[in-house]
């Protein structure tokens, strides 16, 4: 949106210079893209009158003129412009004048004829107007007047980049309203007086698409002079807004568009057949536009039609056949409200974008049409003459938008903005914006005006107050928040720490569905009761999982089918086991599960490839248990699960209570589940892992430690853990270290037996142990394991 500052000053005079005004409206949310002067920098250019104009004796394209600039003598000036003629008012750069580009005018001779000045064109004064010759000023232009003053060229063009929600500012009226609010000044609204009809001519208008066009106004104006000259003041206002002057009828519709933001159109009345019909296009209808391009209309396009054909794309582009031309004498003025949704996207679908569609897409004031029709009619009669008929209106009142009422609470306003604004100031701001404001006990009740399509909720009003108050006037206050120490038990081990440990071991986290294939789950857990969903997502996702293993196995199969031979996956989630004693009949247990498959390490030239086995999995599980700092609370015993290999399955216990299982997947299930190699699985209740023992702080003993090794021969089926537990119990406080460092079967060991080599570290924190004390402790340990497990010392 471009506008000249001088035009805005006619509506509201702020006393601000262009830079200050641009800063002000930018901070209010109407971003200024640029400021540029309306003309170049020049001086000593005045209004002159061509008194004489004759052919140059020695040049066919030059003319010798005498120019009256208000002095005692006429100026002799040689001019080459084809439109130079006697009686014309022109812009004259006298001797001493300086034109844009620091071009200085001096006395000269052209082909032997003196030339004491220069007749200027628009481009020579740095004015962006297309012309083939010198400037033609109005006949009443006062001779000798400074051209810069006469044309009000001490002005600037301000370009504002509006966001799509601010369609109300796509006009001088909207901008003036904003500037008035920002400066607490009243706007000098142009006085619009209804034009009395001098003829009774009417034109039938029918609304066949009231949802898309609930209001359509027309007015017949006859006997106009379309060849009349558009006044210079209007041409300049249009030019400074980026619109080229075409003819008075088009210029007037463009002028009211800029002035009020309401698009209009004028039809050549004598080209219309029958009445006006506002309807949806028929698929495939043809229309030749004003620019000469022919379009094929789609059925979702709103058109203005007569009784025979479409004559315009509603709110977008007029048709060539009914457009105003040099022969036009009678016109039908159109002024309508089109629903934004009926216009949005239609222009782009035809590769078009017009000032009209730009505004209708964003929303035009639906109560503005009568005012603009009267304004355009008055201008048309004043410039082109003619006789106007009555305003014809077709309206569907029930289809017009309803005025929204929004409640604004004072406390919320202050809370969101962060500053307390007086209630009276808020009321003034909103009232100057044109909102109907009523004070309430808690704040205000606001009726939104018809030109503000962007205000619908309370936060919209908060934004209006904030930007009018001035974002730069809101103090910069660092945010403050009250901090409270969170409750944290040192004994709690966060699940994230367990995940990090697995990631460090080379695992990757998997997230699978809680719904699994009931057939697959039945294979793995034949004794488990399943919960089948009555309305599953899919047949293979119809049962709630009783373990995380089915999902991990499915993920492993998916990866193996994509040439991934080494997998380390883990998942944290819930299992769902039917239990009548639990809430809702389902026991939901958080667990941590994992799967190991393929080589221990990735293939590498420096090491032999070896597949992971049961003890690799056991090592990873023990790494998790070590985070609890309470490894001795855990124990492992053989277990028999249908899903696990009978010789490679174990139950994990904490303080004697089962908390999980791990082992090799049963060989009979590998092929049935789609796996191509042996997989190892673990699953542990999360609660067993997230409780850790808080270590007691103790000083390091200053006294020496003593190591003793024992080799015990025991039955092959005896678990080493049972022996270690007994040794710890007998060793008491002096036994500070115990390790099983060798297991041997073979030569020298009887069949059915095995040798366990233990290292004992004995130490006292208060004194140095004597050899006798150490020997007595070792002897007690040997006696105890001999009595309990029939163990003997290896020879």
């Amino acid at each position: 949106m471009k506008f000249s500052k001088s035009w805005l000053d006619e509506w509201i005079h702020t006393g601000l210079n262009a830079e200050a005004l641009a800063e002000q409206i930018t901070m209010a949310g109407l971003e200024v893209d640029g400021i540029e002067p309306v003309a170049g920098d020049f001086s000593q250019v005045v209004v002159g009158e061509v008194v004489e104009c004759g052919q140059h004796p020695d040049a066919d394209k030059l003319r010798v003129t005498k120019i009256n600039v208000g002095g005692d003598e006429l100026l002799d000036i040689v001019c080459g412009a084809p439109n130079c003629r006697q009686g014309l008012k022109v812009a004259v750069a006298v001797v001493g004048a300086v034109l844009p580009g620091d071009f200085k005018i001096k006395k000269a001779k052209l082909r032997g004829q003196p030339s004491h000045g220069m007749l200027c064109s628009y481009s020579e004064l740095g004015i962006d107007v297309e012309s083939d010759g010198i400037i033609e000023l109005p006949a009443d232009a006062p001779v000798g007047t400074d051209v810069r003053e006469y044309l009000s060229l001490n002005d600037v063009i301000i370009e504002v980049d509006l966001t799509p929600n601010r369609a109300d500012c796509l006009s001088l009226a909207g901008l003036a309203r904003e500037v008035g609010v920002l400066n607490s000044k009243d706007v000098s609204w142009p006085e619009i007086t209804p034009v009395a009809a001098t003829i009774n001519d009417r034109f039938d208008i029918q609304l066949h698409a009231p949802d898309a066009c609930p209001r359509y106004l027309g007015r017949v104006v006859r006997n106009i002079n379309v060849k009349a000259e558009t006044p210079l003041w209007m041409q300049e206002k249009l030019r400074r807004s980026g619109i080229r002057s075409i003819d008075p009828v088009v210029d007037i519709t463009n002028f009211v568009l800029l002035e009020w933001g309401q698009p209009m159109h004028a039809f050549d009345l004598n080209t219309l057949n029958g009445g006006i019909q506002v309807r949806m296009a028929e698929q495939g209808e043809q229309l030749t536009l004003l620019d000469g391009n022919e379009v094929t209309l789609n059925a979702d396009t709103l058109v203005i039609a007569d009784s025979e054909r479409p004559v315009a794309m509603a709110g977008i582009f007029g048709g060539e056949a009914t457009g105003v031309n040099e022969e036009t004498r009678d016109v039908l003025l159109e002024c309508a409200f089109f629903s934004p949704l009926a216009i949005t996207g239609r222009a782009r679908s035809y590769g078009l974008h017009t000032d009209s569609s730009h505004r209708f897409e964003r929303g035009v004031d639906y109560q503005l049409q009568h005012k603009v029709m009267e304004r355009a009619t008055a201008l048309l009669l004043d410039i082109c003459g003619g006789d106007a008929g009555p305003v014809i209106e077709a309206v569907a009142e029930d289809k017009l938008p309803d005025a929204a009422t929004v409640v604004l609470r004072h406390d919320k306003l202050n809370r969101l903005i962060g500053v307390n604004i007086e209630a009276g100031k808020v009321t003034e701001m909103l009232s100057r914006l044109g909102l109907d404001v009523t004070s309430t006990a808690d704040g205000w009740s606001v009726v939104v005006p018809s030109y503000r399509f962007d205000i619908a909720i309370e936060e919209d009003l908060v934004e209006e107050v904030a930007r009018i108050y001035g974002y730069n006037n809101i103090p910069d206050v660092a945010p403050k928040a009250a901090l409270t120490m969170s409750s944290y038990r040192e004994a709690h081990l966060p699940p994230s720490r367990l995940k990090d440990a697995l990631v460090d071991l080379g695992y990757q986290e998997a997230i699978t569905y809680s719904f699994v294939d009931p057939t697959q789950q039945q294979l793995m857990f034949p004794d488990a009761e399943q919960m089948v969903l009555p309305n599953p997502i899919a047949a293979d996702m119809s049962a709630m999982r009783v373990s995380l293993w089915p999902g991990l196995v499915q993920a492993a199969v998916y990866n193996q089918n994509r040439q991934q031979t080494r997998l380390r996956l883990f998942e944290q989630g819930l299992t769902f086991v039917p239990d009548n004693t639990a809430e809702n009949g389902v026991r939901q247990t958080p667990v941590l599960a994992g799967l190991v498959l393929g080589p221990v390490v990735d293939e590498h030239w420096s090491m032999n490839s070896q597949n992971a086995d049961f003890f690799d999995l056991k090592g990873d599980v023990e790494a998790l248990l070590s985070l609890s700092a309470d490894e001795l609370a855990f124990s492992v015993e053989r277990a028999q699960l249908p899903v696990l290999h009978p010789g490679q399955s174990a139950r994990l216990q904490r303080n004697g209570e089962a908390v999980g299982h791990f082992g090799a997947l049963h060989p009979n299930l590998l092929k049935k589940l789609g796996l191509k190699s042996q997989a190892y699985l673990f699953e542990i209740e999360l609660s067993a892992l997230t409780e850790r023992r808080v270590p007691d702080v103790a000083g390091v003993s200053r006294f020496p430690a003593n190591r003793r090794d024992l080799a015990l021969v025991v039955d092959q089926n005896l678990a080493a853990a049972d022996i270690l537990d007994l040794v710890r119990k007998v060793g008491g406080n002096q036994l500070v270290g115990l390790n099983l460092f060798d297991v041997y079967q073979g030569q020298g060991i009887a069949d059915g037996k095995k040798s366990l080599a233990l290292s004992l570290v004995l130490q006292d924190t208060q004194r140095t142990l004597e050899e006798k004390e150490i020997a007595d402790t070792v002897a007690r340990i040997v006696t105890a394991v001999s009595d309990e497990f029939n163990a003997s010392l290896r020879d």
Side-chain angles (χ1 to χ4, degrees):
M1 171 72 182
K2 288 184 177 181
F3 67 95
S4 71
K5 184 176 181 298
S6 62
W7 193 7
L8 183 65
D9 287 342
E10 294 175 13
W11 291 67
I12 179 166
H13 188 71
T14 62
L16 300 174
N17 60 32
E19 288 71 20
L21 178 63
E23 171 70 16
Q24 186 181 69
I25 61 179
T26 294
M27 292 305 297
L30 311 179
E31 182 183 356
V32 172
D33 271 357
I35 303 173
E36 60 183 37
V38 299
D41 187 14
F42 64 85
S43 62
Q44 297 188 48
V45 179
V46 299
V47 176
E49 180 180 6
V50 180
V51 178
E52 295 181 11
C53 181
Q55 185 65 45
H56 192 290
D58 297 324
D60 294 339
K61 294 185 178 181
L62 296 180
R63 289 174 174 80
V64 178
T65 67
K66 287 189 179 295
I67 307 298
N68 175 20
V69 293
D72 296 334
E73 298 181 358
L74 300 179
L75 299 180
D76 293 320
I77 298 177
V78 177
C79 177
N83 62 328
C84 182
R85 60 189 181 274
Q86 185 177 352
L88 185 65
K89 295 289 182 71
V90 293
V92 183
V94 300
V95 174
V98 179
L99 301 185
D102 199 27
F103 179 68
K104 298 178 181 178
I105 302 300
K106 302 176 182 178
K107 290 183 179 181
K109 281 189 176 183
L110 295 177
R111 297 287 184 94
Q113 295 296 319
S115 184
H116 299 163
M118 176 179 173
L119 305 186
C120 301
S121 66
Y122 281 108
S123 60
E124 288 165 337
L125 297 183
I127 301 175
D128 185 19
V129 174
E130 296 180 5
S131 62
D132 295 329
I134 58 176
I135 299 174
E136 297 186 19
L137 297 175
D140 60 354
V143 173
T145 304
D146 190 305
V147 167
R148 181 173 287 277
E149 180 181 345
Y150 176 70
L151 294 178
S152 300
L153 297 180
N154 294 318
D155 189 15
V156 295
I157 298 171
I158 301 177
E159 183 174 2
V160 180
D161 184 14
L162 297 172
T163 52
N165 63 311
R166 292 310 307 273
D168 60 297
C169 289
L170 286 169
S171 65
L172 255 292
L175 290 169
R177 185 187 300 111
E178 289 288 310
V179 174
V181 177
L182 295 173
N183 294 279
S184 299
K185 292 181 178 291
D186 294 330
V187 178
S188 299
W189 300 102
E191 184 177 348
I192 299 177
T193 304
V195 176
T198 56
I199 58 176
N200 292 322
D201 293 35
R202 293 176 173 271
F203 206 76
D204 183 48
I205 300 173
Q206 297 179 13
L207 299 180
H208 295 297
D211 289 319
C213 176
R215 172 174 283 149
Y216 190 97
L217 270 62
R219 190 171 205 171
V220 173
V221 182
R222 294 190 180 274
N223 304 318
I224 66 170
N225 178 16
V226 78
K227 296 181 181 179
E229 187 73 19
T230 300
L232 183 61
W233 62 265
M234 183 178 287
Q235 291 186 40
E236 278 297 294
K237 283 180 167 60
L238 293 174
R239 177 182 75 81
R240 298 176 194 188
S241 299
I243 296 179
R244 180 173 59 90
S245 175
I246 298 175
D247 62 54
V249 178
V250 175
D251 290 348
I252 288 168
T253 58
N254 284 333
F255 179 78
V256 296
L257 169 72
L258 294 173
E259 196 174 46
W260 297 101
Q262 170 69 54
M264 292 188 67
H265 185 64
F267 296 103
D268 186 328
L269 184 63
N270 296 319
T271 62
L272 295 174
N273 301 309
I276 287 291
Q277 299 178 16
V278 185
R279 60 173 174 82
M280 305 306 294
E282 296 178 7
Q283 187 67 35
E285 279 189 301
Q286 302 291 317
L287 173 63
T288 302
L289 304 176
L290 283 170
D291 61 2
N293 291 320
E294 186 175 7
V295 295
T296 301
L297 299 172
N298 299 318
D300 64 347
T301 303
L302 184 68
V303 296
I304 311 301
D306 60 14
S307 60
E308 298 179 356
R309 63 198 165 155
V311 296
M313 295 174 67
I316 300 175
F317 221 137
E320 182 181 52
T322 56
V324 175
N325 54 56
E326 293 181 353
E327 305 301 323
T328 299
R329 292 294 176 266
D330 306 321
V331 296
L332 175 68
L333 292 179
E334 167 202 87
C335 189
F337 169 72
F338 299 116
S339 170
L341 291 178
I343 307 300
T344 300
R346 304 304 190 276
R348 287 188 294 276
S349 68
Y350 295 98
L352 301 172
H353 181 78
T354 63
D355 290 336
S356 178
S357 67
H358 185 77
R359 285 163 173 80
F360 277 124
E361 285 180 340
R362 287 155 176 77
V364 170
D365 184 354
Y366 54 88
Q367 295 182 355
L368 189 63
Q369 289 71 45
H370 281 279
K371 179 187 291 187
V372 171
M373 178 63 81
E374 299 293 353
R375 175 66 164 160
T377 303
L379 289 171
L380 184 61
L381 296 180
D382 185 50
I383 297 172
C384 300
D387 302 300
V391 176
I392 312 150
E393 180 180 22
V395 61
E397 293 285 355
D398 60 323
K399 302 297 183 181
L400 288 169
D402 294 324
T405 300
V406 182
V407 174
L408 174 61
R409 291 165 290 174
H410 204 168
D411 61 340
K412 183 168 185 177
L413 172 68
N414 294 338
R415 184 174 72 253
L416 291 182
I417 295 180
V419 63
N420 186 18
I421 304 177
E422 295 180 3
K425 183 67 174 177
V426 174
T427 301
E428 180 188 1
M429 291 177 185
L430 297 178
S431 297
R432 286 187 179 276
L433 284 170
L435 282 66
D436 184 2
V437 184
T438 302
S439 297
T440 63
D442 297 328
W444 302 267
S445 176
V446 177
V447 178
V448 181
S450 54
Y451 49 81
R452 291 303 296 269
F453 284 78
D454 61 315
I455 298 178
I457 58 176
E458 186 176 18
E459 286 73 12
D460 294 331
L461 291 176
V462 174
E463 179 185 3
E464 291 299 300
V465 174
R467 67 183 188 83
I468 298 303
Y469 181 78
Y471 296 122
N472 51 343
N473 293 325
I474 299 175
D476 297 329
V477 180
K480 294 186 297 184
L483 298 179
T484 303
M485 294 295 292
S486 59
S487 176
Y488 176 76
R489 289 192 310 112
E490 188 179 357
H492 177 70
L493 184 66
S496 60
R497 180 65 185 91
L498 299 169
K499 293 181 179 182
D500 289 343
L502 289 171
V503 171
D504 292 341
L505 291 170
Y507 286 75
Q508 293 185 346
E509 185 173 10
I511 300 176
T512 65
Y513 287 104
S514 299
F515 319 119
V516 297
D517 186 343
T519 304
Q520 185 186 62
Q521 184 162 264
Q522 185 68 27
L523 280 174
M524 299 177 71
F525 302 96
D527 300 330
E529 182 182 353
Q530 298 195 71
M531 295 177 57
V532 179
L533 301 175
N535 298 297
I537 299 174
D540 58 353
M541 297 176 65
S542 58
M544 300 297 291
R545 65 188 180 191
V546 298
S547 167
L548 269 58
W549 286 347
L552 290 175
V553 168
Q554 189 175 13
V557 171
Y558 181 90
N559 280 273
Q560 271 197 331
N561 291 339
R562 285 153 182 80
Q563 291 79 49
Q564 300 300 312
T565 58
R566 182 179 184 272
L567 297 174
R568 300 290 188 276
L569 301 177
F570 77 90
E571 181 177 9
Q572 176 194 333
L574 294 173
T575 61
F576 305 88
V577 178
D579 187 346
N580 294 330
T581 64
E583 185 178 359
N584 298 324
V586 182
R587 185 174 73 254
Q588 302 182 45
T589 307
V591 298
L592 182 67
L595 177 145
V596 174
L597 181 149
V600 176
V601 295
D602 286 325
E603 189 176 16
H604 194 269
W605 61 269
S606 66
M607 60 186 71
N608 295 328
S609 178
Q610 179 180 342
N611 286 334
D613 59 19
F614 175 85
F615 293 102
D616 292 311
L617 178 70
K618 184 173 183 287
D620 292 343
V621 171
E622 289 176 342
L624 291 176
L625 303 182
S626 67
L627 297 176
S628 69
D630 194 19
E631 300 97 314
L632 297 181
F634 291 93
S635 61
V636 177
E637 64 178 20
R638 285 194 177 97
Q640 296 294 325
L641 289 179
V643 66
L644 297 179
H645 190 296
Q648 299 184 48
S649 63
R651 179 184 299 107
L652 181 65
Q653 300 183 129
R654 182 165 190 173
N655 297 323
E657 183 179 348
V659 294
H661 294 84
F662 63 91
L665 187 64
H666 199 293
N668 292 340
L669 294 176
L670 290 177
K671 187 174 182 180
K672 295 178 181 179
L673 297 176
L675 289 171
K676 301 176 183 178
S677 58
Q678 182 62 59
Y680 298 87
L681 303 164
F682 74 83
E683 185 172 85
I684 307 170
E685 292 181 12
L686 202 59
S687 59
L689 298 174
T690 54
E691 287 297 319
R692 61 183 171 185
R693 181 170 61 88
V694 180
D696 296 326
V697 178
V700 177
S701 177
R702 297 181 292 109
F703 301 99
N706 298 272
R707 171 171 171 163
R708 296 293 184 271
D709 292 342
L710 293 177
L712 302 174
V713 178
V714 298
D715 290 339
Q716 180 178 346
N717 295 328
L718 184 64
D722 294 338
I723 295 179
L724 295 177
D725 289 342
L726 180 61
V727 171
R728 290 190 189 94
K729 181 178 179 181
V730 175
N733 293 333
Q734 291 182 348
L735 183 64
V736 296
L738 175 62
N739 182 41
L740 173 66
F741 65 87
D742 183 51
V743 177
Y744 174 73
Q745 287 180 280
Q747 187 177 358
I749 302 298
D751 292 339
K753 299 287 185 178
K754 62 183 176 182
S755 172
L756 303 178
L758 309 178
S759 67
L760 314 177
V761 180
L762 303 171
Q763 187 181 35
D764 196 293
T765 59
Q766 302 297 325
R767 59 190 177 84
T768 300
L769 291 176
E770 296 182 2
E771 185 62 32
K772 183 177 184 304
E773 293 177 295
I774 296 173
D776 289 345
T777 299
V778 172
R780 286 199 308 273
I781 290 173
V782 171
T783 301
V785 296
S786 176
D787 293 343
E788 183 74 20
F789 300 112
N790 196 27
S792 62
L793 291 175
R794 181 180 172 186
D795 296 335

